[in-house]
Amino acid sequence: MPRATPAIPGPGTHLARTTVPAHPSRASGVRDMVAEHLGRLRLPSECVDNAVLATDELFVNALEHGSPDRGDTVTVTVECGPRELRVSVADRSSALPGARTADGAEESGRGLAIVAALTDDWGVAPADPGSTGKKVWFSIVLQGEP
């Protein structure tokens, strides 16, 4: 299971970050890390559940579309401030994701629609300086302080 890397958060912000190999076997550990971190902050269970599911969707997208090479990694960052929870999933591909409409028979193609339904906003940001790829993120507005 991945462990969150401690970091120095900004004022009132709780931060957790993990980098894992780009492999499907790491998905459950990523979900557990997000759930543990947000659980310690005593966020409402619906918020935690939505964040875990949305993170999982972005992680799977990163595996399928963003980190095709052996040895690639995916970095998941969770930032929780007094008013907003933000999760980003970074991969090495510069290809931008796009929401699409999947028909009833397709087994994939609904991930970003699920993220949009569970969160208040989502988007794409450039990779951190010195890195290649992109970050796909979502945010959830919090009603109270964590």
Side-chain angles (χ1 to χ4, degrees):
M1 171 176 15
R3 298 316 267 154
T5 302
I8 301 171
T13 300
H14 301 272
L15 180 73
R17 177 175 292 134
T18 190
T19 299
V20 298
H23 192 271
S25 66
R26 300 304 180 128
S28 66
V30 167
R31 291 189 303 268
D32 290 345
M33 183 276 287
V34 173
E36 279 182 26
H37 181 69
L38 298 179
R40 283 193 301 271
L41 298 178
R42 299 183 182 175
L43 296 179
S45 61
E46 180 181 3
C47 178
V48 173
D49 292 345
N50 289 349
V52 169
L53 182 54
T55 301
D56 190 56
E57 292 295 336
L58 294 186
F59 185 76
V60 168
N61 280 354
L63 296 181
E64 290 181 13
H65 307 291
S67 296
D69 296 329
R70 185 178 194 89
D72 278 353
T73 59
V74 175
T75 299
V76 178
T77 304
V78 180
E79 299 173 82
C80 190
R83 294 184 182 91
E84 182 182 64
L85 164 64
R86 185 178 178 107
V87 176
S88 64
V89 177
D91 62 53
R92 293 188 178 187
S93 172
S94 60
L96 300 178
R100 66 183 187 96
T101 303
D103 70 31
E106 290 183 273
E107 292 184 14
S108 64
R110 295 172 184 82
L112 292 176
I114 291 170
V115 170
L118 295 173
T119 67
D120 293 303
D121 198 11
W122 74 273
V124 181
D128 290 333
S131 299
T132 59
K134 66 181 171 304
K135 294 186 278 188
V136 183
W137 59 268
F138 68 81
S139 62
I140 297 174
V141 175
L142 303 174
Q143 298 302 316
E145 292 190 32

